Amino acid sequence: YRYKSIASPDTIRLIHIHPSPNVEAEIECSLAHVTLKTCAQDITEHYVALSYVWGDASLKRAISIDGQSLAITASLHCALSYLRDETRVIRVWADGVCIDQKSNEDRSFQVAMMGSIYSIATHTVIFLGEPTPELELTMELLESRLSGNEPVPISDEEQLVHLIQDNILTRPWFSRVWILQELVLSVSPWVQGAKFPVKWDTFSSYVCASDSASWSPNSRNLLIGMSRTRRDFNKKIQSLQDNSEAPSGDSFAELFQILESRRGSAASDPRDMVYAHLGLISPFTRDMIDVHYNKSIAELYEEIARRHIAKYGDTAILSYVEELDPCDRRDGLPSWVPDIRDN
């Protein structure tokens, strides 16, 4: 498949997935260009944003776009197969198809709009990955429990806790670098395993509020932290809207705090440690950082460090530099620049 270049600003691509009742059927779709402004103002034609894990990039499956073949990761192929409706065409945004991954220019242009893409989407589907019988059982029981219906037979609450711990909270999605922004900015996020979706807010409230003694130590920490960040961010936005205030321009420290807290998250491209969080900071600060995948890792990380020092006139950022011999530093990073990939 050959991508058509995007010539105008504010434009993204959306996948139109053709229906099929068979999850194993070939994925047939088309790719359309549309502006985010049009999507935000359209009250009938909605789209779903997909949040997923790339997985092993060497494992490929093919989909058909307008009669032409495109190779995508097996994990994305699985997600699209389960998202596909049996009778209706659905519109989906997924980075592995909607961005030309072979073009640094296209990646840079589209990634700069990721915050808006997820905040404008009617729903975001958090796809947990390749289904297993254990995951399907967990999601089926969870969906029944959270819906208020008579639950599928289960011995007790403790068993459901163990199932959630073993089959949901251990999924790679929870450690991926992009997921925090995708979750926090989404209007209506849903968690989906196989064909079973549940609302994120209902799911996270259930897990966070549970007083079961069966939770393993620290097993809920990531989810609790993500839910708190989502709640605090939404409160902040609501407060700004209620008071008709402009976001503070002094938020570069906030960006570095986010980067510091997210060290060690899984990112296939180390530059995404920065780019994956730009939607969570003020436009003033966001505009100071050009998203471009032609920059080297060292250039980007040094740019962040230099801007922080210039902004605040101190060298406190140096305390975050790892204790390594300069010869052991990766990717040519200067000795005074923190490697924000490392814990």
Side-chain angles (χ1 to χ4, degrees), residues 195-207:
K195 280 290 187 180
F196 300 99
V198 295
K199 288 185 177 181
W200 167 272
D201 291 333
T202 307
F203 163 67
S204 63
S205 295
Y206 172 80
V207 173

Side-chain angles (χ1 to χ4, degrees), residues 35-257:
T35 65
L36 284 171
K37 181 179 180 181
T38 300
C39 293
Q41 295 176 344
D42 199 322
I43 61 174
T44 57
E45 289 288 332
H46 309 298
Y47 72 89
V48 171
L50 179 63
S51 180
Y52 70 107
V53 174
W54 269 68
D56 188 341
S58 67
L59 300 177
K60 300 287 189 180
R61 296 284 303 275
I63 63 173
S64 175
I65 303 180
D66 298 321
Q68 300 177 52
S69 179
L70 176 70
I72 61 175
T73 62
S75 58
L76 176 54
H77 187 278
C78 180
L80 296 179
S81 297
Y82 279 95
L83 275 179
R84 176 171 47 188
D85 193 82
E86 293 187 1
T87 59
R88 299 172 299 166
V89 172
I90 62 169
R91 305 202 309 171
V92 174
W93 189 91
D95 60 352
V97 175
C98 297
I99 299 176
D100 182 355
Q101 298 296 328
K102 295 180 180 179
S103 167
N104 279 344
E105 183 178 354
D106 196 66
R107 288 174 68 200
S108 303
F109 180 72
Q110 295 290 297
V111 165
M113 296 190 289
M114 292 276 268
S116 297
I117 289 169
Y118 280 87
S119 62
I120 290 173
T122 307
H123 301 288
T124 294
V125 171
I126 297 164
F127 190 75
L128 294 175
E130 188 71 35
T132 62
E134 293 79 12
L135 176 62
E136 293 191 44
L137 171 63
T138 305
M139 293 301 298
E140 184 179 6
L141 294 171
L142 188 60
E143 182 185 51
S144 179
R145 181 64 56 88
L146 298 182
S147 68
N149 298 332
E150 197 66 30
V152 176
I154 184 171
S155 60
D156 52 32
E157 197 76 13
E158 310 310 309
Q159 184 180 351
L160 183 55
V161 166
H162 286 298
L163 288 171
I164 292 171
Q165 285 186 136
D166 296 342
N167 302 301
I168 296 181
L169 299 184
T170 56
R171 287 271 165 164
W173 182 86
F174 287 90
S175 60
R176 177 174 164 264
V177 70
W178 278 100
I179 58 98
L180 185 66
Q181 176 176 272
E182 294 167 0
L183 171 68
V184 168
L185 297 181
S186 295
V187 176
S188 175
W190 290 68
V191 182
Q192 181 168 332
K195 280 290 187 180
F196 300 99
V198 295
K199 288 185 177 181
W200 167 272
D201 291 333
T202 307
F203 163 67
S204 63
S205 295
Y206 172 80
V207 173
C208 294
S210 172
D211 58 2
S212 168
S214 294
W215 294 105
S216 300
N218 305 323
S219 63
R220 295 180 287 176
N221 286 1
L222 274 175
L223 182 141
I224 291 171
M226 289 158 51
S227 297
R228 183 185 300 118
T229 301
R230 172 173 162 78
R231 182 180 64 249
D232 293 346
F233 183 87
N234 288 331
K235 284 181 179 178
K236 178 180 177 181
I237 295 300
Q238 187 61 53
S239 176
L240 291 172
Q241 291 172 344
D242 291 344
N243 298 313
S244 300
E245 298 176 7
S248 168
D250 187 27
S251 66
F252 210 86
E254 181 183 12
L255 170 61
F256 196 79
Q257 288 167 7

